[in-house]
mmCIF file of all heavy atoms in Angstrom:
data_model
loop_
_atom_site.group_PDB
_atom_site.id
_atom_site.type_symbol
_atom_site.label_atom_id
_atom_site.label_comp_id
_atom_site.label_asym_id
_atom_site.label_seq_id
_atom_site.Cartn_x
_atom_site.Cartn_y
_atom_site.Cartn_z
ATOM 1 N N TYR A 1 -14.001 0.394 -4.256
ATOM 2 C CA TYR A 1 -13.685 -1.013 -4.044
ATOM 3 C C TYR A 1 -14.542 -1.663 -2.966
ATOM 4 O O TYR A 1 -14.958 -2.813 -3.117
ATOM 5 C CB TYR A 1 -12.199 -1.165 -3.715
ATOM 6 C CG TYR A 1 -11.288 -0.630 -4.797
ATOM 7 C CD1 TYR A 1 -10.301 0.320 -4.518
ATOM 8 C CD2 TYR A 1 -11.418 -1.072 -6.114
ATOM 9 C CE1 TYR A 1 -9.466 0.810 -5.509
ATOM 10 C CE2 TYR A 1 -10.585 -0.586 -7.115
ATOM 11 C CZ TYR A 1 -9.621 0.360 -6.792
ATOM 12 O OH TYR A 1 -8.801 0.852 -7.796
ATOM 13 N N ALA A 2 -14.800 -0.961 -1.896
ATOM 14 C CA ALA A 2 -15.606 -1.545 -0.819
ATOM 15 C C ALA A 2 -17.029 -1.820 -1.305
ATOM 16 O O ALA A 2 -17.607 -2.873 -1.022
ATOM 17 C CB ALA A 2 -15.619 -0.625 0.398
ATOM 18 N N ASP A 3 -17.591 -0.866 -2.062
ATOM 19 C CA ASP A 3 -18.940 -1.061 -2.599
ATOM 20 C C ASP A 3 -18.961 -2.189 -3.636
ATOM 21 O O ASP A 3 -19.910 -2.979 -3.694
ATOM 22 C CB ASP A 3 -19.444 0.230 -3.252
ATOM 23 C CG ASP A 3 -19.701 1.327 -2.231
ATOM 24 O OD1 ASP A 3 -19.980 0.997 -1.065
ATOM 25 O OD2 ASP A 3 -19.631 2.516 -2.601
ATOM 26 N N ALA A 4 -17.912 -2.254 -4.436
ATOM 27 C CA ALA A 4 -17.823 -3.311 -5.449
ATOM 28 C C ALA A 4 -17.818 -4.678 -4.776
ATOM 29 O O ALA A 4 -18.490 -5.622 -5.226
ATOM 30 C CB ALA A 4 -16.581 -3.122 -6.297
ATOM 31 N N ARG A 5 -17.038 -4.801 -3.674
ATOM 32 C CA ARG A 5 -16.997 -6.076 -2.953
ATOM 33 C C ARG A 5 -18.376 -6.441 -2.411
ATOM 34 O O ARG A 5 -18.794 -7.600 -2.481
ATOM 35 C CB ARG A 5 -15.997 -6.014 -1.804
ATOM 36 C CG ARG A 5 -15.945 -7.309 -1.005
ATOM 37 C CD ARG A 5 -14.939 -7.256 0.123
ATOM 38 N NE ARG A 5 -15.309 -6.313 1.172
ATOM 39 C CZ ARG A 5 -14.630 -6.150 2.311
ATOM 40 N NH1 ARG A 5 -13.533 -6.872 2.528
ATOM 41 N NH2 ARG A 5 -15.019 -5.279 3.220
ATOM 42 N N SER A 6 -19.087 -5.468 -1.901
ATOM 43 C CA SER A 6 -20.410 -5.720 -1.340
ATOM 44 C C SER A 6 -21.356 -6.287 -2.396
ATOM 45 O O SER A 6 -22.065 -7.276 -2.154
ATOM 46 C CB SER A 6 -20.971 -4.417 -0.746
ATOM 47 O OG SER A 6 -22.271 -4.636 -0.248
ATOM 48 N N TYR A 7 -21.364 -5.677 -3.584
ATOM 49 C CA TYR A 7 -22.235 -6.170 -4.658
ATOM 50 C C TYR A 7 -21.769 -7.530 -5.179
ATOM 51 O O TYR A 7 -22.594 -8.380 -5.543
ATOM 52 C CB TYR A 7 -22.298 -5.153 -5.800
ATOM 53 C CG TYR A 7 -23.327 -4.066 -5.548
ATOM 54 C CD1 TYR A 7 -22.959 -2.853 -4.989
ATOM 55 C CD2 TYR A 7 -24.665 -4.261 -5.879
ATOM 56 C CE1 TYR A 7 -23.893 -1.855 -4.753
ATOM 57 C CE2 TYR A 7 -25.615 -3.265 -5.650
ATOM 58 C CZ TYR A 7 -25.222 -2.070 -5.073
ATOM 59 O OH TYR A 7 -26.161 -1.084 -4.841
ATOM 60 N N ALA A 8 -20.466 -7.756 -5.204
ATOM 61 C CA ALA A 8 -19.949 -9.046 -5.657
ATOM 62 C C ALA A 8 -20.384 -10.160 -4.701
ATOM 63 O O ALA A 8 -20.767 -11.256 -5.128
ATOM 64 C CB ALA A 8 -18.435 -8.998 -5.777
ATOM 65 N N ARG A 9 -20.308 -9.880 -3.398
ATOM 66 C CA ARG A 9 -20.760 -10.874 -2.421
ATOM 67 C C ARG A 9 -22.247 -11.169 -2.594
ATOM 68 O O ARG A 9 -22.686 -12.333 -2.527
ATOM 69 C CB ARG A 9 -20.480 -10.367 -0.998
ATOM 70 C CG ARG A 9 -19.002 -10.431 -0.607
ATOM 71 C CD ARG A 9 -18.762 -9.773 0.745
ATOM 72 N NE ARG A 9 -17.397 -9.991 1.230
ATOM 73 C CZ ARG A 9 -16.883 -9.417 2.321
ATOM 74 N NH1 ARG A 9 -17.637 -8.580 3.053
ATOM 75 N NH2 ARG A 9 -15.653 -9.678 2.689
ATOM 76 N N ASN A 10 -23.040 -10.134 -2.828
ATOM 77 C CA ASN A 10 -24.476 -10.327 -3.038
ATOM 78 C C ASN A 10 -24.745 -11.121 -4.318
ATOM 79 O O ASN A 10 -25.689 -11.907 -4.394
ATOM 80 C CB ASN A 10 -25.189 -8.979 -3.111
ATOM 81 C CG ASN A 10 -25.247 -8.282 -1.770
ATOM 82 O OD1 ASN A 10 -25.129 -8.933 -0.724
ATOM 83 N ND2 ASN A 10 -25.402 -6.970 -1.785
ATOM 84 N N SER A 11 -23.902 -10.899 -5.332
ATOM 85 C CA SER A 11 -24.080 -11.598 -6.603
ATOM 86 C C SER A 11 -23.917 -13.102 -6.435
ATOM 87 O O SER A 11 -24.770 -13.888 -6.863
ATOM 88 C CB SER A 11 -23.061 -11.078 -7.628
ATOM 89 O OG SER A 11 -23.080 -11.884 -8.793
ATOM 90 N N MET A 12 -22.818 -13.526 -5.796
ATOM 91 C CA MET A 12 -22.611 -14.976 -5.674
ATOM 92 C C MET A 12 -23.565 -15.598 -4.668
ATOM 93 O O MET A 12 -23.857 -16.796 -4.745
ATOM 94 C CB MET A 12 -21.149 -15.303 -5.354
ATOM 95 C CG MET A 12 -20.554 -14.710 -4.138
ATOM 96 S SD MET A 12 -18.798 -15.240 -4.005
ATOM 97 C CE MET A 12 -18.064 -13.811 -3.242
ATOM 98 N N GLU A 13 -24.075 -14.807 -3.757
ATOM 99 C CA GLU A 13 -25.103 -15.322 -2.850
ATOM 100 C C GLU A 13 -26.412 -15.528 -3.611
ATOM 101 O O GLU A 13 -27.122 -16.513 -3.391
ATOM 102 C CB GLU A 13 -25.309 -14.346 -1.691
ATOM 103 C CG GLU A 13 -26.311 -14.849 -0.662
ATOM 104 C CD GLU A 13 -26.476 -13.884 0.513
ATOM 105 O OE1 GLU A 13 -25.643 -12.968 0.671
ATOM 106 O OE2 GLU A 13 -27.459 -14.044 1.252
ATOM 107 N N SER A 14 -26.700 -14.607 -4.531
ATOM 108 C CA SER A 14 -27.925 -14.711 -5.329
ATOM 109 C C SER A 14 -27.831 -15.816 -6.366
ATOM 110 O O SER A 14 -28.806 -16.527 -6.622
ATOM 111 C CB SER A 14 -28.200 -13.367 -6.024
ATOM 112 O OG SER A 14 -29.355 -13.443 -6.838
ATOM 113 N N ASP A 15 -26.651 -15.971 -6.976
ATOM 114 C CA ASP A 15 -26.459 -16.979 -8.010
ATOM 115 C C ASP A 15 -25.042 -17.544 -7.889
ATOM 116 O O ASP A 15 -24.072 -16.912 -8.322
ATOM 117 C CB ASP A 15 -26.663 -16.363 -9.393
ATOM 118 C CG ASP A 15 -26.654 -17.394 -10.505
ATOM 119 O OD1 ASP A 15 -26.279 -18.555 -10.240
ATOM 120 O OD2 ASP A 15 -27.023 -17.044 -11.644
ATOM 121 N N PRO A 16 -24.905 -18.737 -7.308
ATOM 122 C CA PRO A 16 -23.568 -19.335 -7.109
ATOM 123 C C PRO A 16 -22.771 -19.508 -8.398
ATOM 124 O O PRO A 16 -21.551 -19.677 -8.345
ATOM 125 C CB PRO A 16 -23.891 -20.700 -6.481
ATOM 126 C CG PRO A 16 -25.227 -20.508 -5.820
ATOM 127 C CD PRO A 16 -25.975 -19.558 -6.714
ATOM 128 N N ALA A 17 -23.453 -19.450 -9.545
ATOM 129 C CA ALA A 17 -22.731 -19.594 -10.814
ATOM 130 C C ALA A 17 -21.742 -18.458 -11.027
ATOM 131 O O ALA A 17 -20.807 -18.578 -11.827
ATOM 132 C CB ALA A 17 -23.726 -19.638 -11.974
ATOM 133 N N PHE A 18 -21.923 -17.350 -10.320
ATOM 134 C CA PHE A 18 -21.031 -16.195 -10.459
ATOM 135 C C PHE A 18 -19.931 -16.190 -9.401
ATOM 136 O O PHE A 18 -19.167 -15.218 -9.315
ATOM 137 C CB PHE A 18 -21.833 -14.894 -10.386
ATOM 138 C CG PHE A 18 -22.571 -14.568 -11.646
ATOM 139 C CD1 PHE A 18 -23.830 -15.092 -11.873
ATOM 140 C CD2 PHE A 18 -22.001 -13.774 -12.628
ATOM 141 C CE1 PHE A 18 -24.519 -14.823 -13.047
ATOM 142 C CE2 PHE A 18 -22.671 -13.498 -13.803
ATOM 143 C CZ PHE A 18 -23.940 -14.029 -14.020
ATOM 144 N N ALA A 19 -19.821 -17.248 -8.617
ATOM 145 C CA ALA A 19 -18.852 -17.267 -7.510
ATOM 146 C C ALA A 19 -17.422 -17.087 -8.008
ATOM 147 O O ALA A 19 -16.635 -16.338 -7.407
ATOM 148 C CB ALA A 19 -18.993 -18.566 -6.722
ATOM 149 N N GLY A 20 -17.058 -17.769 -9.071
ATOM 150 C CA GLY A 20 -15.703 -17.654 -9.586
ATOM 151 C C GLY A 20 -15.369 -16.239 -10.013
ATOM 152 O O GLY A 20 -14.339 -15.673 -9.611
ATOM 153 N N LYS A 21 -16.245 -15.654 -10.829
ATOM 154 C CA LYS A 21 -16.009 -14.295 -11.321
ATOM 155 C C LYS A 21 -16.002 -13.287 -10.178
ATOM 156 O O LYS A 21 -15.213 -12.328 -10.185
ATOM 157 C CB LYS A 21 -17.091 -13.935 -12.345
ATOM 158 C CG LYS A 21 -17.045 -14.770 -13.614
ATOM 159 C CD LYS A 21 -18.185 -14.453 -14.555
ATOM 160 C CE LYS A 21 -17.998 -13.103 -15.213
ATOM 161 N NZ LYS A 21 -19.032 -12.850 -16.253
ATOM 162 N N CYS A 22 -16.878 -13.497 -9.195
ATOM 163 C CA CYS A 22 -16.948 -12.547 -8.084
ATOM 164 C C CYS A 22 -15.696 -12.606 -7.213
ATOM 165 O O CYS A 22 -15.196 -11.564 -6.751
ATOM 166 C CB CYS A 22 -18.195 -12.826 -7.238
ATOM 167 S SG CYS A 22 -19.737 -12.325 -8.044
ATOM 168 N N ASN A 23 -15.171 -13.805 -6.991
ATOM 169 C CA ASN A 23 -13.929 -13.906 -6.215
ATOM 170 C C ASN A 23 -12.762 -13.263 -6.955
ATOM 171 O O ASN A 23 -11.903 -12.616 -6.333
ATOM 172 C CB ASN A 23 -13.623 -15.371 -5.893
ATOM 173 C CG ASN A 23 -14.351 -15.845 -4.642
ATOM 174 O OD1 ASN A 23 -14.126 -15.340 -3.548
ATOM 175 N ND2 ASN A 23 -15.242 -16.810 -4.809
ATOM 176 N N LEU A 24 -12.726 -13.421 -8.270
ATOM 177 C CA LEU A 24 -11.695 -12.739 -9.053
ATOM 178 C C LEU A 24 -11.803 -11.224 -8.875
ATOM 179 O O LEU A 24 -10.797 -10.529 -8.674
ATOM 180 C CB LEU A 24 -11.846 -13.080 -10.536
ATOM 181 C CG LEU A 24 -11.350 -14.441 -11.021
ATOM 182 C CD1 LEU A 24 -11.649 -14.603 -12.509
ATOM 183 C CD2 LEU A 24 -9.847 -14.588 -10.775
ATOM 184 N N LEU A 25 -13.039 -10.728 -8.947
ATOM 185 C CA LEU A 25 -13.249 -9.286 -8.857
ATOM 186 C C LEU A 25 -12.875 -8.757 -7.470
ATOM 187 O O LEU A 25 -12.226 -7.698 -7.345
ATOM 188 C CB LEU A 25 -14.704 -8.956 -9.188
ATOM 189 C CG LEU A 25 -15.052 -7.463 -9.257
ATOM 190 C CD1 LEU A 25 -14.218 -6.763 -10.330
ATOM 191 C CD2 LEU A 25 -16.540 -7.268 -9.545
ATOM 192 N N ILE A 26 -13.253 -9.492 -6.430
ATOM 193 C CA ILE A 26 -12.904 -9.053 -5.075
ATOM 194 C C ILE A 26 -11.384 -9.054 -4.906
ATOM 195 O O ILE A 26 -10.808 -8.124 -4.311
ATOM 196 C CB ILE A 26 -13.572 -9.966 -4.023
ATOM 197 C CG1 ILE A 26 -15.098 -9.779 -4.057
ATOM 198 C CG2 ILE A 26 -13.044 -9.639 -2.628
ATOM 199 C CD1 ILE A 26 -15.859 -10.778 -3.199
ATOM 200 N N GLY A 27 -10.741 -10.077 -5.456
ATOM 201 C CA GLY A 27 -9.282 -10.108 -5.396
ATOM 202 C C GLY A 27 -8.666 -8.898 -6.080
ATOM 203 O O GLY A 27 -7.694 -8.304 -5.575
ATOM 204 N N LEU A 28 -9.215 -8.499 -7.221
ATOM 205 C CA LEU A 28 -8.703 -7.318 -7.917
ATOM 206 C C LEU A 28 -8.979 -6.051 -7.130
ATOM 207 O O LEU A 28 -8.179 -5.101 -7.153
ATOM 208 C CB LEU A 28 -9.345 -7.234 -9.307
ATOM 209 C CG LEU A 28 -8.875 -8.284 -10.318
ATOM 210 C CD1 LEU A 28 -9.704 -8.197 -11.602
ATOM 211 C CD2 LEU A 28 -7.390 -8.114 -10.638
ATOM 212 N N CYS A 29 -10.119 -6.025 -6.435
ATOM 213 C CA CYS A 29 -10.409 -4.863 -5.580
ATOM 214 C C CYS A 29 -9.325 -4.718 -4.508
ATOM 215 O O CYS A 29 -8.832 -3.610 -4.243
ATOM 216 C CB CYS A 29 -11.771 -5.019 -4.909
ATOM 217 S SG CYS A 29 -13.186 -4.791 -5.997
ATOM 218 N N TYR A 30 -8.942 -5.839 -3.881
ATOM 219 C CA TYR A 30 -7.902 -5.796 -2.844
ATOM 220 C C TYR A 30 -6.566 -5.382 -3.460
ATOM 221 O O TYR A 30 -5.863 -4.501 -2.929
ATOM 222 C CB TYR A 30 -7.751 -7.173 -2.192
ATOM 223 C CG TYR A 30 -8.942 -7.607 -1.360
ATOM 224 C CD1 TYR A 30 -9.069 -8.933 -0.945
ATOM 225 C CD2 TYR A 30 -9.938 -6.702 -0.988
ATOM 226 C CE1 TYR A 30 -10.139 -9.353 -0.176
ATOM 227 C CE2 TYR A 30 -11.014 -7.114 -0.228
ATOM 228 C CZ TYR A 30 -11.118 -8.444 0.175
ATOM 229 O OH TYR A 30 -12.193 -8.836 0.925
ATOM 230 N N ALA A 31 -6.222 -6.022 -4.564
ATOM 231 C CA ALA A 31 -4.911 -5.765 -5.174
ATOM 232 C C ALA A 31 -4.790 -4.342 -5.691
ATOM 233 O O ALA A 31 -3.677 -3.799 -5.775
ATOM 234 C CB ALA A 31 -4.686 -6.752 -6.316
ATOM 235 N N SER A 32 -5.910 -3.719 -6.047
ATOM 236 C CA SER A 32 -5.877 -2.374 -6.625
ATOM 237 C C SER A 32 -5.902 -1.277 -5.573
ATOM 238 O O SER A 32 -5.652 -0.106 -5.879
ATOM 239 C CB SER A 32 -7.078 -2.185 -7.564
ATOM 240 O OG SER A 32 -7.070 -3.150 -8.596
ATOM 241 N N SER A 33 -6.227 -1.662 -4.356
ATOM 242 C CA SER A 33 -6.366 -0.632 -3.311
ATOM 243 C C SER A 33 -5.044 -0.425 -2.578
ATOM 244 O O SER A 33 -4.201 -1.320 -2.514
ATOM 245 C CB SER A 33 -7.443 -1.041 -2.304
ATOM 246 O OG SER A 33 -7.030 -2.180 -1.579
ATOM 247 N N GLN A 34 -4.875 0.745 -2.062
ATOM 248 C CA GLN A 34 -3.736 1.084 -1.200
ATOM 249 C C GLN A 34 -4.340 1.754 0.036
ATOM 250 O O GLN A 34 -4.286 2.979 0.199
ATOM 251 C CB GLN A 34 -2.774 2.030 -1.917
ATOM 252 C CG GLN A 34 -2.091 1.432 -3.133
ATOM 253 C CD GLN A 34 -0.993 0.462 -2.742
ATOM 254 O OE1 GLN A 34 0.009 0.849 -2.139
ATOM 255 N NE2 GLN A 34 -1.179 -0.809 -3.065
ATOM 256 N N PRO A 35 -4.917 0.949 0.936
ATOM 257 C CA PRO A 35 -5.718 1.536 2.016
ATOM 258 C C PRO A 35 -4.918 2.158 3.155
ATOM 259 O O PRO A 35 -5.492 2.884 3.984
ATOM 260 C CB PRO A 35 -6.523 0.338 2.529
ATOM 261 C CG PRO A 35 -5.667 -0.852 2.233
ATOM 262 C CD PRO A 35 -4.962 -0.521 0.956
ATOM 263 N N PHE A 36 -3.614 1.866 3.198
ATOM 264 C CA PHE A 36 -2.834 2.372 4.331
ATOM 265 C C PHE A 36 -2.042 3.604 3.905
ATOM 266 O O PHE A 36 -1.156 3.518 3.047
ATOM 267 C CB PHE A 36 -1.923 1.274 4.874
ATOM 268 C CG PHE A 36 -2.685 0.052 5.305
ATOM 269 C CD1 PHE A 36 -2.741 -1.063 4.479
ATOM 270 C CD2 PHE A 36 -3.359 0.043 6.514
ATOM 271 C CE1 PHE A 36 -3.453 -2.191 4.859
ATOM 272 C CE2 PHE A 36 -4.066 -1.087 6.914
ATOM 273 C CZ PHE A 36 -4.131 -2.201 6.086
ATOM 274 N N SER A 37 -2.369 4.723 4.513
ATOM 275 C CA SER A 37 -1.799 5.998 4.092
ATOM 276 C C SER A 37 -0.644 6.413 5.001
ATOM 277 O O SER A 37 -0.642 6.131 6.206
ATOM 278 C CB SER A 37 -2.891 7.074 4.128
ATOM 279 O OG SER A 37 -2.350 8.348 3.984
ATOM 280 N N SER A 38 0.305 7.111 4.407
ATOM 281 C CA SER A 38 1.447 7.621 5.194
ATOM 282 C C SER A 38 1.013 8.741 6.124
ATOM 283 O O SER A 38 1.767 9.146 7.001
ATOM 284 C CB SER A 38 2.547 8.111 4.258
ATOM 285 O OG SER A 38 2.052 9.112 3.397
ATOM 286 N N SER A 39 -0.193 9.223 5.943
ATOM 287 C CA SER A 39 -0.694 10.247 6.868
ATOM 288 C C SER A 39 -1.150 9.604 8.187
ATOM 289 O O SER A 39 -1.283 10.289 9.200
ATOM 290 C CB SER A 39 -1.870 11.000 6.242
ATOM 291 O OG SER A 39 -2.950 10.127 5.973
ATOM 292 N N GLU A 40 -1.401 8.280 8.123
ATOM 293 C CA GLU A 40 -1.818 7.572 9.330
ATOM 294 C C GLU A 40 -0.683 6.765 9.938
ATOM 295 O O GLU A 40 -0.677 6.524 11.153
ATOM 296 C CB GLU A 40 -2.972 6.613 8.990
ATOM 297 C CG GLU A 40 -4.219 7.296 8.453
ATOM 298 C CD GLU A 40 -5.298 6.287 8.097
ATOM 299 O OE1 GLU A 40 -5.796 5.603 9.017
ATOM 300 O OE2 GLU A 40 -5.614 6.163 6.907
ATOM 301 N N TYR A 41 0.262 6.343 9.124
ATOM 302 C CA TYR A 41 1.366 5.506 9.578
ATOM 303 C C TYR A 41 2.670 6.100 9.066
ATOM 304 O O TYR A 41 2.688 6.847 8.078
ATOM 305 C CB TYR A 41 1.234 4.075 9.037
ATOM 306 C CG TYR A 41 -0.053 3.382 9.410
ATOM 307 C CD1 TYR A 41 -1.161 3.427 8.559
ATOM 308 C CD2 TYR A 41 -0.145 2.670 10.600
ATOM 309 C CE1 TYR A 41 -2.342 2.782 8.893
ATOM 310 C CE2 TYR A 41 -1.329 2.013 10.947
ATOM 311 C CZ TYR A 41 -2.421 2.071 10.086
ATOM 312 O OH TYR A 41 -3.583 1.442 10.421
ATOM 313 N N PRO A 42 3.746 5.734 9.736
ATOM 314 C CA PRO A 42 5.045 6.091 9.153
ATOM 315 C C PRO A 42 5.139 5.532 7.739
ATOM 316 O O PRO A 42 4.576 4.468 7.446
ATOM 317 C CB PRO A 42 6.040 5.412 10.097
ATOM 318 C CG PRO A 42 5.309 5.266 11.391
ATOM 319 C CD PRO A 42 3.872 5.042 11.027
ATOM 320 N N ALA A 43 5.836 6.222 6.873
ATOM 321 C CA ALA A 43 5.872 5.848 5.457
ATOM 322 C C ALA A 43 6.326 4.408 5.257
ATOM 323 O O ALA A 43 5.747 3.658 4.463
ATOM 324 C CB ALA A 43 6.790 6.806 4.697
ATOM 325 N N ALA A 44 7.360 3.963 5.988
ATOM 326 C CA ALA A 44 7.873 2.612 5.822
ATOM 327 C C ALA A 44 6.839 1.569 6.230
ATOM 328 O O ALA A 44 6.667 0.532 5.574
ATOM 329 C CB ALA A 44 9.151 2.431 6.629
ATOM 330 N N LYS A 45 6.128 1.868 7.347
ATOM 331 C CA LYS A 45 5.117 0.916 7.815
ATOM 332 C C LYS A 45 3.924 0.881 6.868
ATOM 333 O O LYS A 45 3.394 -0.192 6.579
ATOM 334 C CB LYS A 45 4.668 1.285 9.222
ATOM 335 C CG LYS A 45 3.727 0.252 9.824
ATOM 336 C CD LYS A 45 3.401 0.561 11.283
ATOM 337 C CE LYS A 45 2.517 -0.517 11.878
ATOM 338 N NZ LYS A 45 2.190 -0.244 13.294
ATOM 339 N N ALA A 46 3.503 2.047 6.374
ATOM 340 C CA ALA A 46 2.382 2.095 5.432
ATOM 341 C C ALA A 46 2.715 1.288 4.186
ATOM 342 O O ALA A 46 1.864 0.571 3.644
ATOM 343 C CB ALA A 46 2.067 3.542 5.067
ATOM 344 N N ALA A 47 3.986 1.379 3.759
ATOM 345 C CA ALA A 47 4.394 0.670 2.541
ATOM 346 C C ALA A 47 4.282 -0.840 2.729
ATOM 347 O O ALA A 47 3.787 -1.564 1.850
ATOM 348 C CB ALA A 47 5.816 1.061 2.164
ATOM 349 N N ILE A 48 4.779 -1.345 3.898
ATOM 350 C CA ILE A 48 4.715 -2.797 4.085
ATOM 351 C C ILE A 48 3.292 -3.268 4.347
ATOM 352 O O ILE A 48 2.889 -4.354 3.938
ATOM 353 C CB ILE A 48 5.678 -3.258 5.206
ATOM 354 C CG1 ILE A 48 5.820 -4.787 5.148
ATOM 355 C CG2 ILE A 48 5.202 -2.803 6.570
ATOM 356 C CD1 ILE A 48 6.913 -5.329 6.024
#
């Protein structure tokens, strides 16, 4: 997801016509990730 976001940002910078699609994709990258692990935080806090 992090790499996907990087390329998406470069895409809309290179061609603004892709800005809409790239923002959708970055949003999906965020929504699909679960970056906070219970190994780093208490389970309840990681969940929220």
Side-chain angles (χ1 to χ4, degrees):
Y1 301 125
D3 291 334
R5 179 179 67 175
S6 178
Y7 276 95
R9 286 174 172 173
N10 289 338
S11 171
M12 58 181 147
E13 183 178 346
S14 178
D15 187 349
F18 283 86
K21 295 176 72 174
C22 287
N23 275 297
L24 283 177
L25 185 60
I26 293 172
L28 289 173
C29 287
Y30 292 166
S32 301
S33 67
Q34 295 285 295
F36 302 101
S37 169
S38 58
S39 62
E40 299 178 65
Y41 302 93
K45 186 174 183 180
I48 193 170

